[in-house]
Amino acid sequence: MTEAPDRSASGDFDLSRWPVARYRMPGHVPDSETEARIAEFGALLARNERFVLVFHGPEMPKDSSRFMKAYRAWFNANKEAQKRLCAGAVRVEPDPGRRKSFTVKALSMMNKLFLPYPYTVVGSDAEAQAQAMTWLTKTQPTKPRLGA
């Protein structure tokens, strides 16, 4: 059996602390890399294990409309798998002003579309790790009961 790599091909995902997957939002995704980058998100789900996504970096890749369109399509097509496998997503933003802005935008986004998992914004990696562990321990999928 082959072990899954600790880093994605792009280097944006760090899976060395699985089931906490760390994602560095790229500043830009060239059109030529769109499919490969989307496949990296698919690889998280392909593990078929509960995980938490911790991310940092730019809010969104700039001038990356092809990637954003492909990501939205992938996100919508995979909501059920995300609901089942992603215990939550945490954005790390150390700057209090930016953190507040991200939080307001997150609340607005949650009101506009259905997120299949909890989402929060925190100020440090330690807070993100603590939140991840809380979600992972509270959201263990229930096992089917035999004879019920």
Side-chain angles (χ1 to χ4, degrees):
M1 182 167 134
T2 320
E3 285 268 330
D6 282 348
R7 286 240 172 241
S8 63
S10 69
D12 292 340
F13 279 103
D14 175 359
L15 308 177
S16 63
R17 295 190 221 167
W18 186 265
V20 177
R22 298 181 182 281
Y23 179 64
R24 179 193 52 81
M25 182 72 71
H28 171 72
V29 176
D31 287 352
S32 62
E33 294 179 17
T34 292
E35 288 77 18
R37 298 290 182 103
I38 297 301
E40 291 178 346
F41 285 98
L44 290 178
L45 300 180
R47 285 175 165 239
N48 201 32
E49 297 174 26
R50 297 284 289 167
F51 68 95
V52 170
L53 182 60
V54 174
F55 61 104
H56 60 93
E59 183 175 0
M60 291 290 168
K62 295 208 183 292
D63 302 318
S64 304
S65 60
R66 183 173 174 194
F67 170 79
M68 292 306 299
K69 182 178 178 181
Y71 177 76
R72 280 189 297 274
W74 177 88
F75 184 88
N76 289 325
N78 290 282
K79 276 189 176 178
E80 285 304 313
Q82 291 178 78
K83 183 178 181 179
R84 183 172 49 86
L85 298 172
C86 185
V90 183
R91 171 172 273 288
V92 177
E93 178 48 62
D95 179 83
R98 285 180 45 104
R99 186 167 56 250
K100 183 176 181 180
S101 173
F102 280 134
T103 301
V104 168
K105 288 176 184 177
L107 288 171
S108 174
M109 180 178 62
M110 286 186 276
N111 288 329
K112 289 179 183 175
L113 61 111
F114 169 71
L115 283 180
Y117 45 75
Y119 176 89
T120 193
V121 183
V122 299
S124 70
D125 191 58
E127 289 173 280
Q129 185 68 26
Q131 180 63 69
M133 299 322 303
T134 297
W135 281 336
L136 287 166
T137 56
K138 284 186 177 179
T139 58
Q140 292 299 318
T142 56
K143 295 181 181 179
R145 292 181 3 193
L146 298 177

